[in-house]
Amino acid sequence: MNEMNKLDGIKRFAVLDTETTWTDEVMSIGIVIADVETMTEVVSKCYIISPEYESGGMFSSTLFDAPKKKTEVVSREEAIEGIEALLDEESVSTIFAYNATFDYRHLPEFDSYTWVDIMKIAAYKQYNRLITDDMECCLSGRLKKGYGVENILRMLKPRYRETHNAYFDAIDELEIVKLLELDIEVYENAILN
């Protein structure tokens, strides 16, 4: 398949986020399956990885903030199996993530999927209409600073505050894609693999 055609005709995609422990192990995974046409959630899940989460991390205090009915505490293997089943059920072959290299590196089990980095679109002046001429950008068009999820979402949705919970962060990252109002094909410019 030609790399520039990987997103042609997709009906649904996943948005995925991870939180890690102090020792850089995945302690939670949030996933949202979204409809391409409406950019809205179809189904979502939160996996808390046991026993890894017990060792703690920077965002342990928000670990159990996701809705209980959408949250499962499982082993890493069970989480991977659950996510693969969900992706298969929803016919999803594309995973979006903000700073996708981080999540991709932590989840090598999903390297056969097409990964798209939302940041490679949202942080660039040529794609984000709210990046103004007075904002400092690199020659590539990327903001020099302030291009994390929270900063970008505040541009698009004032008064936003990031929770640092993998489930809610995945939902927030989908919101960035929706609020940028770009055709899905634009994200072909942000494919990792």
Side-chain angles (χ1 to χ4, degrees), residues 27-45:
M27 68 177 176
S28 66
I29 305 169
I31 183 165
V32 180
I33 306 297
D35 177 78
V36 168
E37 200 170 302
T38 63
M39 294 293 173
T40 57
E41 175 187 329
V42 174
V43 63
S44 59
K45 291 286 290 182

Side-chain angles (χ1 to χ4, degrees), residues 22-170:
W22 294 117
T23 56
D24 203 33
E25 293 180 279
V26 175
M27 68 177 176
S28 66
I29 305 169
I31 183 165
V32 180
I33 306 297
D35 177 78
V36 168
E37 200 170 302
T38 63
M39 294 293 173
T40 57
E41 175 187 329
V42 174
V43 63
S44 59
K45 291 286 290 182
C46 179
Y47 294 94
I48 297 173
I49 312 302
S50 180
E52 288 81 356
Y53 85 91
E54 294 170 17
S55 65
M58 188 179 295
F59 303 113
S60 289
S61 64
T62 62
L63 202 56
F64 287 92
D65 288 357
K68 287 183 183 2
K69 66 181 180 183
K70 294 188 180 248
T71 302
E72 289 183 39
V73 179
V74 295
S75 69
R76 181 182 174 110
E77 185 178 305
E78 291 169 316
I80 298 304
E81 287 172 5
I83 293 168
E84 285 177 336
L86 185 61
L87 294 171
D88 190 47
E89 285 168 23
E90 299 298 331
S91 300
V92 171
S93 61
T94 306
I95 299 172
F96 280 53
Y98 202 93
N99 190 16
T101 305
F102 179 85
D103 300 296
Y104 179 78
R105 182 171 46 87
H106 283 85
L107 296 170
E109 298 92 337
F110 298 111
D111 67 356
S112 66
Y113 292 83
T114 299
W115 281 75
V116 177
D117 192 343
I118 299 166
M119 184 175 72
K120 289 185 177 184
I121 299 298
Y124 285 77
K125 187 174 183 168
Q126 55 268 47
Y127 303 115
N128 185 339
R129 68 192 180 288
L130 296 176
I131 297 175
T132 60
D133 289 337
D134 62 330
M135 294 176 169
E136 204 173 349
C137 292
C138 301
L139 290 176
S140 65
R142 192 197 79 220
L143 285 167
K144 285 191 174 181
K145 61 183 179 186
Y147 54 87
V149 169
E150 188 165 9
N151 298 95
I152 295 296
L153 209 39
R154 278 189 181 165
M155 275 183 204
L156 300 163
K157 186 178 176 178
R159 295 192 200 115
Y160 164 78
R161 189 160 172 81
E162 190 173 8
T163 60
H164 294 290
N165 169 289
Y167 175 79
F168 290 116
D169 288 354

Side-chain angles (χ1 to χ4, degrees), residues 173-184:
E173 292 165 22
L174 172 59
E175 185 77 356
I176 289 172
V177 174
K178 182 177 184 173
L179 292 172
L180 284 173
E181 299 177 337
L182 300 168
D183 291 334
I184 198 74

